[in-house]
Amino acid sequence: QVQLVESGGGLVQPGGSLRLSCVASGFTYSSFTMSWFRQAPGKERELVARITSGTTSTNYADSVKGRFTISRDGAKNTVFLQMNSLRPEDTAVYYCNADGDYYSGRSYYSGEFWGQGTQVTVSS
């Protein structure tokens, strides 16, 4: 069973920084595209940043370009979201997402998985 566990959320003042981490487990190897989404109260969940496997190309929501950076450590099955120059409107629950193929046991599978979310609050 693939599991995603996020950490690193918290309360930060405007202009501050946070680094979120997401550790994936439950498989031997994968070609997951890893993403961070967020959902603010009363709003729909939105894509924040995405990084592919292999070429590790990235894309970002316009609202976070130049402030957030997504990266991954393949050896540790971990994806990071470095968030700088945080604004109150960045306040949300941030979710890690894994989508793609993975090998577990003796078989290949495809699936999409979500973490439990981590709260980020930007406030003075």
Side-chain angles (χ1 to χ4, degrees):
Q1 179 73 13
V2 175
Q3 290 188 322
L4 305 176
V5 179
E6 303 108 328
S7 61
L11 172 64
V12 63
Q13 292 186 342
S17 298
L18 282 175
R19 189 192 196 206
L20 305 184
S21 299
C22 171
V23 179
S25 63
F27 54 91
T28 304
Y29 54 82
S30 78
S31 58
F32 287 135
T33 290
M34 301 296 295
S35 304
W36 288 96
F37 286 76
R38 68 185 181 187
Q39 188 166 21
K43 295 188 176 181
E44 292 186 355
R45 191 171 296 189
E46 62 173 354
L47 175 67
V48 175
R50 173 167 289 154
I51 185 166
T52 63
S53 178
T55 61
T56 62
S57 63
T58 59
N59 63 281
Y60 297 89
D62 287 343
S63 59
V64 306
K65 282 181 181 177
R67 301 188 297 123
F68 291 11
T69 302
I70 189 170
S71 60
R72 67 191 297 166
D73 182 337
K76 297 181 180 179
N77 294 321
T78 302
V79 63
F80 305 97
L81 185 67
Q82 178 66 44
M83 305 186 293
N84 299 328
S85 303
L86 282 161
R87 305 167 180 168
E89 53 264 40
D90 295 318
T91 296
V93 177
Y94 283 70
Y95 296 91
C96 180
N97 173 279
D99 187 13
D101 300 328
Y102 63 101
Y103 183 81
S104 179
R106 298 180 179 182
S107 298
Y108 286 94
Y109 302 90
S110 294
E112 183 177 18
F113 304 92
W114 293 90
Q116 81 287 353
T118 185
Q119 176 70 46
V120 171
T121 302
V122 185
S123 174
S124 56

